[in-house]
Amino acid sequence: MELEEKIEQPSNKPEKKKNFFFKHLWDFVLLGTLLIGTASVYIGRAIINKKDINQDLVATVLFEGNKIEITDSLGKNRNPFNLGDVSEYEEFEITGRHTTLTIAIKHNSICVKESGCPGQECVHEGWVSKANHPIVCAHNGIYIEIESSNWGEITQG
């Protein structure tokens, strides 16, 4: 009987309740570490993308591996295109292996606007404004190579 009485009787000692913060301290430490890590990744990517924006691009159009001549309305050869010097939107037609392509350029960007190829992958690439992101129309044998004119500054800085 005495044992039952001891169990049933509440103890006189007050229970120590932990503060919510101290109860979940390691949860907050883990959450803070994850937030800081995620923020540093996004900040790093923003810095890298800012360097990409400041570069001037040069696009070279190749037909079956050879540079082709693309003339503007004045009869001047424009290939390779210095996309950093382009001030207004321009279009050029290129004869590929099977069909004709229309490429468009604007400041630091190039795209294949129209193509007669069946898959239209080159058209779906859209505007390309990053170095080392080629546009390929395999059906017509056209390859547009995009490089940075100040590549050394980007890799070193």
Side-chain angles (χ1 to χ4, degrees):
M1 201 66 163
E2 290 179 21
L3 183 60
E4 289 177 8
E5 289 177 7
K6 287 184 180 178
I7 293 175
E8 291 177 11
Q9 292 178 355
S11 66
N12 294 336
K13 295 180 183 177
E15 289 185 27
K16 287 186 175 179
K17 289 189 175 182
K18 286 188 175 181
N19 185 336
F20 179 80
F21 178 76
F22 290 111
K23 185 177 177 183
H24 299 285
L25 177 65
W26 291 110
D27 295 334
F28 287 116
V29 169
L30 178 64
L31 181 64
T33 303
L34 290 173
L35 287 173
I36 290 171
T38 303
S40 64
V41 167
Y42 280 109
I43 291 170
R45 291 183 76 190
I47 291 170
I48 290 170
N49 287 340
K50 184 173 181 180
K51 286 183 181 180
D52 287 346
I53 289 170
N54 293 332
Q55 64 184 334
D56 284 333
L57 299 176
V58 175
T60 306
V61 180
L62 305 169
F63 174 67
E64 296 181 347
N66 300 313
K67 188 169 97 170
I68 60 173
E69 186 172 315
I70 301 172
T71 56
D72 58 11
S73 59
L74 302 174
K76 180 181 172 189
N77 184 17
R78 295 288 302 271
N79 194 17
F81 297 98
N82 188 348
L83 299 175
D85 292 342
V86 176
S87 59
E88 56 188 54
Y89 177 87
E90 295 180 68
E91 291 184 2
F92 300 93
E93 285 197 3
I94 301 169
T95 303
R97 187 181 309 134
H98 301 289
T99 63
T100 302
L101 286 85
T102 302
I103 62 168
I105 61 172
K106 63 182 181 180
H107 183 71
N108 268 353
S109 295
I110 188 167
C111 77
V112 176
K113 185 176 177 187
E114 296 175 7
S115 176
C117 61
Q120 299 285 306
E121 286 88 3
C122 53
V123 176
H124 295 304
E125 280 290 322
W127 289 97
V128 176
S129 58
K130 290 193 179 223
N132 298 328
H133 185 131
I135 301 174
V136 179
C137 183
H139 179 75
N140 285 308
I142 300 291
Y143 179 83
I144 302 174
E145 182 178 65
I146 302 157
E147 298 175 333
S148 173
S149 62
N150 53 356
W151 183 249
E153 296 173 17
I154 292 173
T155 56
Q156 295 172 2

